[in-house]
Amino acid sequence: MDRDEELLRGRVYGQDHDDPRPGPRPGRVYAELVGGPLDGLLLDVTDRTAEERAAGAALETELGRYGAGGRSLYDPRPGDARRFDWSGDAP
């Protein structure tokens, strides 16, 4: 199985666990979250501008250091815009 096929089987950050189609949708662009509490999830970056993508993402999660209400911080990997690396957690 190639890497693209593997990503297409992943779950997307923010989609409900009970969603009948929890995976990626055709026509959308995703970045893989690498490391930290959201490791392996896909982040839909379709509607983000290049500047917004370069700024990274602060994603709400209960799984990080600060629990409910906290965020995990992810930055785009230099040279590989399809991956965002975990850089820490924030309250």
Side-chain angles (χ1 to χ4, degrees):
M1 169 181 343
D2 72 15
R3 183 76 179 142
D4 289 315
E5 278 183 273
E6 190 176 316
L7 284 176
L8 289 176
R9 293 177 183 221
R11 282 196 44 247
V12 177
Y13 170 81
Q15 284 186 338
D16 191 72
H17 292 285
D18 297 333
D19 190 323
R21 295 182 56 209
R25 307 255 195 288
R28 306 296 293 176
V29 177
Y30 298 93
E32 179 183 10
L33 301 175
V34 180
L38 303 176
D39 184 51
L41 293 180
L42 302 176
L43 178 64
D44 187 340
V45 295
T46 306
D47 298 325
R48 294 178 185 224
T49 66
E51 292 81 20
E52 290 171 330
R53 288 183 195 183
L59 306 172
E60 292 182 19
T61 181
E62 296 178 1
L63 303 174
R65 177 179 179 188
Y66 297 96
R71 293 179 218 90
S72 285
L73 309 175
Y74 286 84
D75 297 312
R77 182 178 291 180
D80 187 356
R82 295 181 58 175
R83 289 182 180 75
F84 278 34
D85 293 313
W86 179 65
S87 59
D89 293 319

